[in-house]
Amino acid sequence: MHDRSKWVWTDEEIRRVGYRVVDMIADYVGGLPERPVFRPCPEDLIARFAERPLPESGQDTDSLLEEFVDDVLSHPFGNGHPRFFGWVNSPPAIIGVFAEMLAAAMNPSVAGGNHAAVYVEHQVVRWMKELIGFPAAGSMGLLVSGSSMASLTGLAVARHVKLPGVRQLGMQEVSQHAVAYVSAEGHSCLRKALELLGFGSDNIRQIPVDDRLRMRIDELDRVIQQDRQYGHLPVVVAASAGTAGTGAIDPLRGIRDICAHHGVWFHVDAAYGGPAILSDRYRDQLAALRDADSLALDLHKWMSVPVEAGLALVKDGAAMRDAFSLVPPYIRTEGNSAGVMGLPWFSEYGMQQTRGFRALKAWMCLKYFGRDGYREQIERDLTLAEQLAGRVRQSASLELALEPGLSIVCFRYAPPELKDDAVALNHVNQQLLETVQLGGTAFLTSTLINGAFWLRACIINHRTTAADIDLLVDHIVQIAHSLPTGT
Ligand SMILES: Cc1ncc(COP(=O)(O)O)c(C=O)c1O
């Protein structure tokens, strides 16, 4: 007979392997600043991943961990290093790393039920509403993988509310040519979600942006009016509070008022910028987040909760339940805090049935940093972004694209002799970016602004220092001068 006991770990084995894993985490995190920020995976490793067959028999934990260190831990994405400025990826808060372990040890399904993980998630949602200023009464929220899913969730509620009968009849019957609006700079996940919801890409209007790359509300109003005249049905505006490209914040108050005027749902993608409401510099610009009908936020961006941790918030919690609820009778509950079933299940408010204990890492991070801790880090990152912009302005060979948007700085190498040659500028900056990315000293990415190629640094790492920013600038200038097309 099969010996089941060999798969059951003793307390001693758990401790022995666990302490080793903790040592590996400490060595990895502690050693990050001394390592290259990024190195591509070696080809022989990629080949091994592609070719190795499914293991027939099990492997001992020690060799498994050694293999992990050699083949996986040594080839990271790069975030976590103090000079990783790419995309919008923060390092994990270490308390969140341990929370992941603890959550996995408990391994509940947070679909619902009367167990602590459910109440932890409700508490996290309530705290996040408070942090944003989102109304608590009647609203609802839940943790999802990230803002792509959070926006899909919020936009699904928008569709349900604005197109009555859509659940029964489908878009083909009820849509009357339903239309949605995003800014030309809005994240692709907004369009993806709207396409999935059946709007069709032809019915997703891209509203032009102003010189700071923010949605133009005069254009939004004009396009909505025009759609009305043609007999179309404007359903939802998906605004951005911090675009991924430049950190632009759409004029939220103006968009809110236009939505209210036309009876259109007001959704905001606040994946990156939402937490900046804690800062003195952005509190006012972000105040209208509280007026959104639905909001997407990422705790795995500026709040350093390990991925994946997105949050969907919807002002009308009953509508959210209505949009998704399709539960077998054995898990339907009107909910109170007695018995097995507890409150209405999270799974009635979104797509997922079995749901992980994402809330624990968010809960521990919120408790560990507190509102003040987050405010301090965000203010610091904003100051570092100002410092970077200042260094760029002072440099004779660098050019700033526009004032920093949140903690994103877009700039390029533009020595006087290339200044009027758009093609050469694009070319030299592409080369520069690739050389810097592969060099290992710093890592940044790029964005297109009006068709031109710009370097882009996003600062959301509490380990980044003023010295790292200086080093980034000096390094870029030095590399630029060494390029064949440089001077
Ligand atoms: C502004 C913005 N919105 C939405 C998203 C998508 O969020 P996620 O990747 O968490 O699904 C991102 C991701 O980088 C983003 O930067």
Side-chain angles (χ1 to χ4, degrees):
M1 208 181 84
H2 181 63
D3 174 15
R4 288 187 66 228
S5 65
K6 81 173 182 185
W7 306 116
V8 178
W9 290 29
T10 62
D11 295 359
E12 288 70 34
E13 188 67 357
I14 293 172
R15 281 181 226 287
R16 193 185 70 77
V17 175
Y19 293 149
R20 209 173 151 199
V21 168
V22 170
D23 282 341
M24 284 159 55
I25 293 172
D27 289 347
Y28 173 73
V29 173
L32 272 174
E34 275 70 57
R35 298 167 46 112
V37 186
F38 172 76
R39 286 268 183 261
C41 260
E43 290 195 3
D44 61 321
L45 177 63
I46 297 173
R48 270 186 282 138
F49 279 127
E51 286 158 17
R52 275 194 183 154
L54 170 73
E56 286 302 333
S57 49
Q59 182 176 351
D60 69 276
T61 48
D62 289 318
S63 73
L64 183 52
L65 290 179
E66 274 150 31
E67 192 178 322
F68 165 76
V69 171
D70 291 345
D71 289 356
V72 183
L73 195 63
S74 312
H75 307 284
F77 179 56
N79 58 326
H81 192 291
R83 286 189 300 281
F84 179 90
F85 303 108
W87 302 290
V88 195
N89 296 100
S90 56
I94 302 305
I95 191 70
V97 174
F98 292 134
E100 285 272 47
M101 270 190 180
L102 295 167
M106 290 182 77
N107 204 31
S109 169
V110 195
N114 199 356
H115 56 107
V118 167
Y119 299 105
V120 170
E121 182 157 344
H122 278 291
Q123 189 169 50
V124 164
V125 170
R126 181 168 59 77
W127 285 346
M128 287 303 297
K129 287 182 199 167
E130 196 179 323
L131 188 147
I132 295 294
F134 201 74
S139 63
M140 180 58 183
L142 81 176
L143 293 172
V144 289
S145 58
S147 275
S148 304
M149 283 308 296
S151 278
L152 179 63
T153 307
L155 294 169
V157 186
R159 187 184 72 151
H160 179 71
V161 170
K162 297 293 178 187
L163 298 171
V166 71
R167 282 193 65 172
Q168 296 85 346
L169 302 168
M171 282 295 263
Q172 61 273 36
E173 285 292 319
V174 299
S175 93
Q176 307 169 34
H177 204 143
V179 184
Y181 307 83
V182 297
S183 106
E185 292 287 314
H187 195 271
S188 57
C189 72
L190 298 172
R191 269 163 283 181
K192 248 198 227 179
L194 290 163
E195 284 178 23
L196 273 176
L197 290 167
F199 280 78
S201 54
D202 285 354
N203 305 310
I204 303 168
R205 308 272 185 262
Q206 284 199 27
I207 305 300
V209 291
D210 65 13
D211 57 352
R212 298 286 315 272
L213 306 178
R214 300 169 297 199
M215 188 188 283
R216 277 182 51 186
I217 50 175
D218 57 334
E219 277 294 304
L220 175 67
D221 196 39
R222 188 187 65 74
V223 176
I224 292 179
Q225 289 195 38
Q226 193 178 61
D227 276 324
R228 287 227 135 117
Q229 279 158 16
Y230 288 141
H232 300 162
L233 181 67
V235 171
V236 55
V237 177
S240 304
T243 58
T246 64
I249 300 173
D250 289 338
L252 300 177
R253 285 194 183 90
I255 296 172
R256 170 200 65 194
D257 294 346
I258 289 172
C259 287
H261 177 71
H262 292 286
V264 172
W265 187 275
F266 175 36
H267 174 82
V268 186
D269 169 7
Y272 160 46
I277 199 165
L278 294 174
S279 73
D280 291 339
R281 280 170 259 202
Y282 286 97
R283 186 168 303 122
D284 185 53
Q285 272 187 66
L286 294 169
L289 288 178
R290 74 166 83 97
D291 301 320
D293 292 306
S294 55
L295 263 188
L297 287 152
D298 267 339
L299 285 79
H300 63 214
K301 289 192 163 67
W302 223 340
M303 298 183 75
S304 302
V305 176
V307 289
E308 301 168 344
L311 174 67
L313 290 180
V314 177
K315 189 164 284 169
D316 183 344
M320 190 180 191
R321 191 178 188 187
D322 248 20
F324 284 101
S325 180
L326 191 68
V327 290
Y330 61 87
I331 53 174
R332 177 172 279 285
T333 169
E334 282 321 310
N336 54 48
S337 50
V340 175
M341 299 299 280
L343 300 172
W345 285 31
F346 281 114
S347 52
E348 278 196 68
Y349 293 84
M351 187 59 208
Q352 264 184 286
Q353 182 63 38
T354 303
R355 303 175 68 254
F357 194 5
R358 286 194 178 100
L360 186 63
K361 56 190 174 183
W363 186 76
M364 285 204 180
C365 286
L366 281 161
K367 286 174 80 68
Y368 171 74
F369 290 114
R371 200 198 299 251
D372 283 349
Y374 277 122
R375 182 182 299 122
E376 183 189 313
Q377 288 181 59
I378 288 167
E379 293 282 11
R380 206 172 151 271
D381 291 342
L382 294 172
T383 302
L384 290 174
E386 290 293 346
Q387 180 197 337
L388 174 53
R391 284 287 318 263
V392 169
R393 274 189 221 101
Q394 282 160 15
S395 164
S397 57
L398 297 177
E399 180 187 1
L400 194 65
L402 66 182
E403 290 307 307
L406 296 166
S407 61
I408 293 178
V409 184
C410 297
F411 62 103
R412 66 182 172 185
Y413 177 60
E417 60 279 18
L418 292 185
K419 264 220 153 99
D420 299 321
D421 187 341
V423 175
L425 278 176
N426 281 357
H427 180 69
V428 73
N429 279 283
Q430 273 163 11
Q431 270 191 312
L432 173 58
L433 178 67
E434 193 171 321
T435 313
V436 172
Q437 285 179 332
L438 295 175
T441 300
F443 191 98
L444 67 175
T445 49
S446 63
T447 192
L448 288 178
I449 302 177
N450 299 323
F453 184 92
W454 294 84
L455 307 175
R456 171 194 169 281
C458 176
I459 304 163
I460 50 170
N461 184 339
H462 53 266
R463 288 175 85 176
T464 302
T465 62
D468 289 312
I469 300 294
D470 283 338
L471 204 153
L472 169 73
V473 176
D474 295 342
H475 181 64
I476 282 178
V477 171
Q478 188 198 355
I479 299 276
H481 286 303
S482 72
L483 290 174
T485 37
T487 55

